[in-house]
Amino acid sequence: MTEIAERPSVEEIQREQVPHLQMGYKSYIICTSPRSGSTLLCQLLTNTNVAGVPNSYFHKPSLTNWMEVHGIAPNSLGNRSETLEAVLKKAHKTGTAETGVFGLRLQGGSLNYFMGQLKLLHPEQNSAVDRLNATFGETAFIFLSRKNKLEQAISCVKAMQTGLWHKAENGTEFERLAPPQPPYFDAKAIRQHLAEFEEDDQRWEHWFTKESIQPLRLSYEDLADDPSITLSKVLEVLGLKTSSTNAIKVPLAKMADELSKEWAALYRQQLK
């Protein structure tokens, strides 16, 4: 993965964080769904050295899984509240990385379980936003979605079939979750994921309305077209500055190819 040229020192980072202190944001959540460009955005934000290390720290709806992810041994703590506090503390440390800002990526399918755990930990708080603020500090919300749900579904099906989820900008493998397998057109799987991604967006929109949240709204299409502009928008909302977002290289390559276009055309043809 490409590194930033002339990475700023800790002292420079701290000086550049003055606007952030004025805004008051101590954390942010990238609210999204799979294959929406969130991995690219997380990498870009990490590479600024001022916006934490956003990632899916609470991806699976399982406290046991959270403990495994964050290296907390089973039965090492007393009750569930103590375990939750330990998990959140570990995640916060990892996702902040001494920048003063905690970054979290949260998929729509993880939302209800995650917020349920925060409710157990902070029953005195009246809203989800209050519980997030009590846990991570003043929180900003970023909604990253993909306008073309068919392309999103095809991208997901291809990744699941081939095992390759992301490629670096030089074409080498960046993230592989399964041994290589050839892709094949599967209309049923595409239709299923398309519906799931539409439901994810609806879930997020319902939650934003319920919690009176006005998130920064970003699209995969705009992010892919000009990552620097999208990154600048996020940093502006967070009140953070970096010397130049143009100096931060795009670490990932687009996964869409001619096969993706062929599948999209074939799927549309079958709907006629």
Side-chain angles (χ1 to χ4, degrees):
M1 183 173 61
T2 303
E3 296 291 336
I4 304 173
E6 299 180 0
R7 297 169 76 90
S9 66
V10 173
E11 291 76 18
E12 290 172 332
I13 292 171
Q14 291 174 340
R15 286 197 296 270
E16 287 183 337
Q17 284 182 320
V18 173
H20 157 71
L21 297 176
Q22 294 173 347
M23 289 288 290
Y25 287 125
K26 294 294 184 182
S27 68
Y28 61 93
I29 299 178
I30 301 173
C31 309
T32 189
S33 59
R35 314 311 287 172
S36 291
S38 62
T39 298
L40 172 58
L41 183 58
C42 285
Q43 290 294 318
L44 291 171
L45 286 163
T46 297
N47 287 349
T48 66
N49 283 339
V50 298
V53 183
N55 209 332
S56 299
Y57 298 111
F58 312 103
H59 183 57
K60 292 186 178 181
S62 164
L63 181 57
T64 300
N65 176 262
W66 294 1
M67 294 172 67
E68 294 175 357
V69 168
H70 299 291
I72 298 174
N75 304 318
S76 62
L77 299 168
N79 55 38
R80 189 177 187 87
S81 293
E82 291 178 355
T83 302
L84 279 170
E85 288 178 354
V87 167
L88 292 167
K89 183 177 180 180
K90 278 285 192 73
H92 185 269
K93 182 178 180 179
T94 304
T96 302
E98 300 182 355
T99 65
V101 184
F102 173 65
L104 174 64
R105 172 174 59 183
L106 196 64
Q107 308 283 8
S110 307
L111 175 63
N112 291 338
Y113 183 85
F114 175 68
M115 293 311 308
Q117 301 312 298
L118 293 192
K119 187 174 183 179
L120 291 174
L121 196 60
H122 295 290
E124 76 283 359
Q125 301 295 338
N126 295 322
S127 70
V129 173
D130 289 340
R131 295 180 192 110
L132 287 165
N133 291 342
T135 303
F136 302 119
E138 193 72 19
T139 303
F141 300 91
I142 300 159
F143 182 40
L144 176 62
S145 62
R146 191 162 179 166
K147 298 175 183 177
N148 193 318
K149 291 293 186 286
L150 177 56
E151 291 182 356
Q152 183 179 359
I154 288 173
S155 178
C156 190
V157 170
K158 281 181 60 183
M160 295 180 69
Q161 290 178 354
T162 64
L164 180 60
W165 287 78
H166 297 98
K167 292 191 298 185
E169 61 171 345
N170 62 5
T172 60
E173 293 187 0
F174 181 86
E175 183 182 21
R176 173 173 288 283
L177 299 181
Q181 296 290 337
Y184 59 93
F185 180 76
D186 187 339
K188 181 178 180 181
I190 293 173
R191 183 167 55 253
Q192 177 182 342
H193 286 290
L194 198 156
E196 289 175 355
F197 294 144
E198 289 176 343
E199 290 175 1
D200 276 345
D201 277 11
Q202 293 170 5
R203 182 184 294 110
W204 280 119
E205 293 290 4
H206 175 77
W207 189 69
F208 293 146
T209 300
K210 177 183 176 183
E211 297 295 330
S212 299
I213 294 171
Q214 295 184 350
L216 170 64
R217 294 178 178 273
L218 305 174
S219 73
Y220 163 88
E221 286 78 4
D222 289 341
L223 174 62
D225 182 60
D226 196 327
S228 179
I229 289 180
T230 299
L231 178 60
S232 295
K233 289 180 180 179
V234 176
L235 295 176
E236 181 179 1
V237 165
L238 296 177
L240 298 169
K241 293 193 300 183
T242 188
S243 55
S244 173
T245 56
N246 291 323
I248 300 174
K249 303 299 182 181
V250 178
L252 301 177
K254 293 181 181 180
M255 296 295 290
D257 54 18
E258 288 303 315
L259 182 61
S260 304
K261 295 179 181 178
E262 292 175 11
W263 283 12
L266 183 56
Y267 184 84
R268 293 190 183 98
Q269 184 178 9
Q270 291 188 359
L271 292 180
K272 294 181 180 179

